Amino acid sequence: MKEIWLVGAVVVLGVAGGRLGFPAGGLVLGLVGGLTVKALLGMNVLAPLPGLSLASQILVAYVLVRSSDLVSLKDLPRLIPAALAYCILLLGFSLFLAWLFGRLCGMDFLTALFATSPGGLTGIATVAVETGANAPVTVLFNLVRLVAILVVLPLIAAFWSRP
């Protein structure tokens, strides 16, 4: 019965978050609200549902493919070296942060790595769960990062784009 309440909370709050109109509103409010309801109901880790993680990954892939602009792909090859350099630097920095937060916060390295790695909340959380990292910790770090980015970046962009 508790799981029905949990599913209902995630769906209702996710829809409400999506209707608010801010980026990833459905994900953010569904996740935060769902975790809150789960805590209030005294629920612990639930056994994974077979195929649910794969289904969510496929849905995310479809959303990304559907919204991709194929015309702009012709410009991408010239950006591959910069993208690779960016990736290497970012991964190196993430490894350093994982080591640092592991030391400072007493996290295991795998959890700290997923907590400090850049990426979409859905993808990071899914892989963290599948590899045995502490998913709530990784979700917390990435959720705080995502919300901060969604709030702060538009303000910075508005400031820098002023005439």
Side-chain angles (χ1 to χ4, degrees):
M1 183 65 175
K2 287 182 179 182
E3 191 162 357
I4 292 171
W5 282 104
L6 180 61
V7 169
V10 170
V11 170
V12 169
L13 293 169
V15 169
R19 291 182 183 249
L20 289 175
F22 62 89
L27 177 64
V28 172
L29 193 55
L31 182 62
V32 171
L35 288 172
T36 302
V37 168
K38 188 175 180 180
L40 291 172
L41 293 174
M43 299 174 75
N44 204 346
V45 176
L46 300 173
L49 294 174
L52 185 60
S53 177
L54 177 59
S56 68
Q57 292 172 47
I58 292 168
L59 287 172
V60 169
Y62 177 71
V63 168
L64 294 173
V65 168
R66 190 168 190 276
S67 63
S68 295
D69 176 17
L70 295 179
V71 174
S72 64
L73 289 179
K74 67 179 181 186
D75 294 331
L76 295 182
R78 70 178 178 80
L79 297 174
I80 290 174
L84 289 173
Y86 162 77
C87 182
I88 291 168
L89 289 170
L90 203 51
L91 287 175
F93 188 60
S94 292
L95 287 169
F96 169 73
L97 286 177
W99 173 81
L100 180 66
F101 280 101
R103 291 278 195 151
L104 294 176
C105 302
M107 288 185 228
D108 65 277
F109 183 75
L110 189 60
T111 297
L113 183 62
F114 283 108
T116 60
S117 293
L121 185 57
T122 308
I124 292 292
T126 302
V127 176
V129 167
E130 290 177 353
T131 59
N134 186 333
V137 172
T138 63
V139 168
L140 171 68
F141 271 67
N142 283 283
L143 184 61
V144 169
R145 175 187 53 85
L146 179 65
V147 171
I149 287 170
L150 293 174
V151 171
V152 174
L153 279 184
L155 296 174
I156 293 171
F159 176 77
W160 275 346
S161 63
R162 288 188 325 200

